[in-house]
Short mmCIF file of all heavy atoms in Angstrom, two decimals:
data_model
loop_
_atom_site.label_atom_id
_atom_site.label_comp_id
_atom_site.label_asym_id
_atom_site.label_seq_id
_atom_site.Cartn_x
_atom_site.Cartn_y
_atom_site.Cartn_z
N VAL A 1 143.44 92.16 80.01
CA VAL A 1 142.64 92.06 81.17
C VAL A 1 143.40 92.57 82.39
O VAL A 1 144.61 92.46 82.47
CB VAL A 1 142.45 90.47 81.45
CG1 VAL A 1 141.48 89.98 80.38
CG2 VAL A 1 143.66 89.69 81.37
N HIS A 2 142.75 93.19 83.34
CA HIS A 2 143.26 93.61 84.62
C HIS A 2 143.31 92.59 85.68
O HIS A 2 142.48 91.64 85.59
CB HIS A 2 142.56 94.92 85.10
CG HIS A 2 142.48 95.95 84.12
ND1 HIS A 2 141.25 96.17 83.44
CD2 HIS A 2 143.33 96.94 83.74
CE1 HIS A 2 141.43 97.27 82.55
NE2 HIS A 2 142.70 97.68 82.79
N CYS A 3 144.27 92.56 86.64
CA CYS A 3 144.22 91.46 87.57
C CYS A 3 145.29 91.83 88.46
O CYS A 3 146.26 92.52 88.36
CB CYS A 3 144.53 90.12 86.98
SG CYS A 3 143.35 89.55 85.74
N SER A 4 145.25 91.33 89.75
CA SER A 4 146.19 91.16 90.64
C SER A 4 146.41 89.72 91.10
O SER A 4 145.38 88.92 91.07
CB SER A 4 145.77 91.91 91.97
OG SER A 4 145.46 93.25 91.73
N GLN A 5 147.57 89.15 91.33
CA GLN A 5 147.68 87.87 91.90
C GLN A 5 149.00 87.78 92.71
O GLN A 5 149.94 88.55 92.73
CB GLN A 5 147.90 86.93 90.61
CG GLN A 5 148.97 87.38 89.75
CD GLN A 5 148.96 86.65 88.29
OE1 GLN A 5 147.85 86.35 87.79
NE2 GLN A 5 150.10 86.42 87.64
N ALA A 6 149.06 86.60 93.46
CA ALA A 6 150.11 86.47 94.49
C ALA A 6 150.19 85.06 94.95
O ALA A 6 149.29 84.29 94.66
CB ALA A 6 149.72 87.39 95.79
N VAL A 7 151.32 84.66 95.45
CA VAL A 7 151.58 83.34 95.88
C VAL A 7 152.00 83.44 97.38
O VAL A 7 152.98 84.19 97.76
CB VAL A 7 152.66 82.68 95.18
CG1 VAL A 7 153.01 81.27 95.65
CG2 VAL A 7 152.35 82.56 93.65
N LEU A 8 151.48 82.61 98.20
CA LEU A 8 151.84 82.47 99.62
C LEU A 8 151.83 81.06 100.02
O LEU A 8 150.94 80.39 99.73
CB LEU A 8 150.78 83.26 100.52
CG LEU A 8 151.25 83.45 101.97
CD1 LEU A 8 152.65 84.04 102.34
CD2 LEU A 8 150.09 84.05 102.72
N THR A 9 152.97 80.66 100.70
CA THR A 9 153.05 79.30 101.04
C THR A 9 152.89 78.99 102.59
O THR A 9 153.21 79.83 103.45
CB THR A 9 154.57 78.73 100.75
OG1 THR A 9 154.66 78.90 99.39
CG2 THR A 9 154.63 77.24 101.17
N ASP A 10 152.11 78.01 102.93
CA ASP A 10 151.93 77.60 104.26
C ASP A 10 152.12 75.98 104.32
O ASP A 10 152.72 75.46 103.53
CB ASP A 10 150.45 77.98 104.83
CG ASP A 10 149.34 77.42 104.08
OD1 ASP A 10 149.58 76.47 103.29
OD2 ASP A 10 148.27 77.86 104.11
N ASP A 11 151.66 75.40 105.49
CA ASP A 11 151.86 73.97 105.74
C ASP A 11 151.15 73.14 104.73
O ASP A 11 151.35 71.97 104.64
CB ASP A 11 151.51 73.68 107.18
CG ASP A 11 150.05 73.87 107.54
OD1 ASP A 11 149.24 74.39 106.71
OD2 ASP A 11 149.72 73.63 108.63
N GLN A 12 150.20 73.76 103.86
CA GLN A 12 149.54 73.08 102.77
C GLN A 12 150.19 73.32 101.38
O GLN A 12 149.70 72.91 100.34
CB GLN A 12 148.15 73.37 102.75
CG GLN A 12 147.34 73.14 103.96
CD GLN A 12 145.85 73.68 103.91
OE1 GLN A 12 145.17 73.28 103.03
NE2 GLN A 12 145.42 74.46 104.93
N GLY A 13 151.36 73.89 101.46
CA GLY A 13 152.03 74.21 100.18
C GLY A 13 151.57 75.53 99.79
O GLY A 13 150.99 76.36 100.48
N PRO A 14 151.90 75.82 98.35
CA PRO A 14 151.61 77.22 97.85
C PRO A 14 150.02 77.41 97.64
O PRO A 14 149.43 76.52 97.17
CB PRO A 14 152.35 77.33 96.63
CG PRO A 14 152.59 76.02 96.24
CD PRO A 14 152.54 74.95 97.45
N LEU A 15 149.58 78.63 97.79
CA LEU A 15 148.39 79.13 97.43
C LEU A 15 148.69 80.17 96.41
O LEU A 15 149.26 81.14 96.50
CB LEU A 15 147.60 79.82 98.64
CG LEU A 15 146.32 80.51 98.19
CD1 LEU A 15 145.10 79.44 98.08
CD2 LEU A 15 145.90 81.55 99.11
N LEU A 16 148.12 79.90 95.10
CA LEU A 16 148.10 80.99 94.09
C LEU A 16 146.71 81.60 94.04
O LEU A 16 145.65 80.86 93.75
CB LEU A 16 148.37 80.32 92.74
CG LEU A 16 148.31 81.23 91.42
CD1 LEU A 16 149.22 82.46 91.43
CD2 LEU A 16 148.62 80.42 90.18
N ILE A 17 146.63 82.90 94.32
CA ILE A 17 145.40 83.51 94.27
C ILE A 17 145.34 84.66 93.36
O ILE A 17 146.46 85.22 93.14
CB ILE A 17 145.06 84.07 95.74
CG1 ILE A 17 143.54 84.59 95.77
CG2 ILE A 17 146.12 84.87 96.27
CD1 ILE A 17 143.10 84.85 97.28
N ARG A 18 144.25 84.93 92.65
CA ARG A 18 144.16 86.15 91.75
C ARG A 18 142.78 86.60 91.76
O ARG A 18 141.78 86.03 91.98
CB ARG A 18 144.57 85.63 90.28
CG ARG A 18 143.71 84.58 89.71
CD ARG A 18 142.48 85.17 89.02
NE ARG A 18 142.91 86.19 88.10
CZ ARG A 18 143.25 85.94 86.75
NH1 ARG A 18 143.24 84.70 86.32
NH2 ARG A 18 143.70 86.93 86.02
N ASN A 19 142.81 87.94 91.42
CA ASN A 19 141.54 88.66 91.02
C ASN A 19 141.43 88.85 89.60
O ASN A 19 142.47 89.20 88.96
CB ASN A 19 141.49 90.13 91.79
CG ASN A 19 140.96 90.02 93.12
OD1 ASN A 19 140.51 88.90 93.66
ND2 ASN A 19 140.95 91.15 93.83
N TYR A 20 140.29 88.56 88.94
CA TYR A 20 139.91 88.80 87.64
C TYR A 20 139.20 90.20 87.58
O TYR A 20 138.00 90.16 88.05
CB TYR A 20 139.31 87.75 86.98
CG TYR A 20 139.10 87.94 85.48
CD1 TYR A 20 139.85 87.08 84.52
CD2 TYR A 20 138.18 88.74 84.92
CE1 TYR A 20 139.58 87.27 83.21
CE2 TYR A 20 137.99 88.85 83.47
CZ TYR A 20 138.86 88.02 82.80
OH TYR A 20 138.55 88.31 81.35
N ASP A 21 139.62 91.29 87.15
CA ASP A 21 139.02 92.55 86.97
C ASP A 21 138.74 93.09 85.54
O ASP A 21 139.65 93.16 84.84
CB ASP A 21 139.92 93.59 87.66
CG ASP A 21 140.27 93.32 89.19
OD1 ASP A 21 139.43 92.54 89.83
OD2 ASP A 21 141.28 93.87 89.77
N LEU A 22 137.52 93.21 85.32
CA LEU A 22 137.02 93.77 84.07
C LEU A 22 135.60 94.02 84.11
O LEU A 22 134.89 93.96 85.15
CB LEU A 22 137.29 92.62 82.97
CG LEU A 22 137.52 93.19 81.53
CD1 LEU A 22 138.72 94.20 81.32
CD2 LEU A 22 137.67 91.94 80.53
N ASP A 23 134.95 94.23 82.94
CA ASP A 23 133.56 94.51 82.95
C ASP A 23 132.94 93.10 82.99
O ASP A 23 133.20 92.22 82.18
CB ASP A 23 133.24 95.21 81.66
CG ASP A 23 131.70 95.54 81.46
OD1 ASP A 23 130.84 94.86 82.13
OD2 ASP A 23 131.48 96.57 80.68
N PRO A 24 131.85 92.80 83.78
CA PRO A 24 131.27 91.66 83.83
C PRO A 24 130.65 91.16 82.54
O PRO A 24 130.66 89.91 82.32
CB PRO A 24 130.12 91.72 84.81
CG PRO A 24 130.56 92.90 85.73
CD PRO A 24 131.42 93.80 84.98
N LYS A 25 130.20 92.06 81.62
CA LYS A 25 129.74 91.62 80.29
C LYS A 25 130.74 91.05 79.45
O LYS A 25 130.44 90.39 78.37
CB LYS A 25 129.21 92.92 79.62
CG LYS A 25 128.02 93.69 80.32
CD LYS A 25 127.39 94.65 79.32
CE LYS A 25 128.28 95.83 79.10
NZ LYS A 25 128.51 96.71 80.35
N LEU A 26 132.02 91.08 79.85
CA LEU A 26 133.12 90.60 78.96
C LEU A 26 133.70 89.25 79.64
O LEU A 26 134.76 88.88 79.11
CB LEU A 26 134.22 91.68 78.78
CG LEU A 26 133.70 93.01 78.35
CD1 LEU A 26 134.92 93.99 78.11
CD2 LEU A 26 132.87 92.98 77.04
N ASN A 27 133.03 88.68 80.49
CA ASN A 27 133.56 87.53 81.05
C ASN A 27 132.73 86.31 80.69
O ASN A 27 131.44 86.36 80.82
CB ASN A 27 133.79 87.61 82.60
CG ASN A 27 134.23 86.34 83.24
OD1 ASN A 27 133.65 85.49 83.82
ND2 ASN A 27 135.59 86.33 83.21
N GLU A 28 133.35 85.14 80.39
CA GLU A 28 132.63 83.96 80.05
C GLU A 28 131.97 83.16 81.24
O GLU A 28 131.17 82.24 81.05
CB GLU A 28 133.28 83.15 79.14
CG GLU A 28 133.43 83.75 77.68
CD GLU A 28 134.64 83.42 76.87
OE1 GLU A 28 135.76 83.91 77.18
OE2 GLU A 28 134.53 82.51 76.04
N SER A 29 132.38 83.51 82.39
CA SER A 29 131.73 82.84 83.58
C SER A 29 131.61 81.41 83.63
O SER A 29 130.62 81.00 83.95
CB SER A 29 130.47 83.63 83.94
OG SER A 29 129.50 83.48 82.93
N THR A 30 132.63 80.73 83.14
CA THR A 30 132.64 79.40 82.93
C THR A 30 134.03 78.63 83.52
O THR A 30 134.95 78.94 83.05
CB THR A 30 132.53 78.97 81.36
OG1 THR A 30 131.25 79.42 80.93
CG2 THR A 30 132.41 77.44 81.36
N LEU A 31 133.74 77.66 84.38
CA LEU A 31 134.78 76.82 84.84
C LEU A 31 134.72 75.55 84.00
O LEU A 31 133.62 74.81 84.17
CB LEU A 31 134.66 76.60 86.34
CG LEU A 31 135.58 75.41 86.87
CD1 LEU A 31 137.07 75.71 86.83
CD2 LEU A 31 135.22 75.21 88.41
N LEU A 32 135.78 75.15 83.35
CA LEU A 32 135.82 74.13 82.36
C LEU A 32 136.93 73.15 82.76
O LEU A 32 138.10 73.48 82.96
CB LEU A 32 135.96 74.58 80.88
CG LEU A 32 136.01 73.50 79.86
CD1 LEU A 32 134.70 72.68 79.85
CD2 LEU A 32 136.38 74.11 78.52
N SER A 33 136.42 71.86 83.03
CA SER A 33 137.41 70.82 83.27
C SER A 33 137.50 69.86 82.15
O SER A 33 136.36 69.43 81.70
CB SER A 33 136.95 70.08 84.57
OG SER A 33 137.69 68.93 84.85
N THR A 34 138.75 69.65 81.54
CA THR A 34 138.79 68.85 80.49
C THR A 34 139.90 67.69 80.67
O THR A 34 140.81 67.85 81.50
CB THR A 34 139.18 69.65 79.28
OG1 THR A 34 140.51 70.39 79.46
CG2 THR A 34 138.06 70.73 79.05
#
């Protein structure tokens, strides 16, 4: 999988941010909480 990601900290603590780069047909497009 291709991606870019970074961490930047401010007064709310760290932010972890990332891009998920690929063909949309290959993504399951599901946020799962367990």
Side-chain angles (χ1 to χ4, degrees):
V1 288
H2 306 99
C3 301
S4 304
Q5 58 197 26
V7 177
L8 182 63
T9 301
D10 61 13
D11 57 3
Q12 299 178 55
L15 172 81
L16 172 58
I17 186 168
R18 64 85 53 86
N19 279 354
Y20 186 107
D21 297 339
L22 204 62
D23 184 336
K25 293 190 296 292
L26 309 183
N27 185 257
E28 284 154 282
S29 58
T30 300
L31 168 62
L32 180 61
S33 173
T34 62

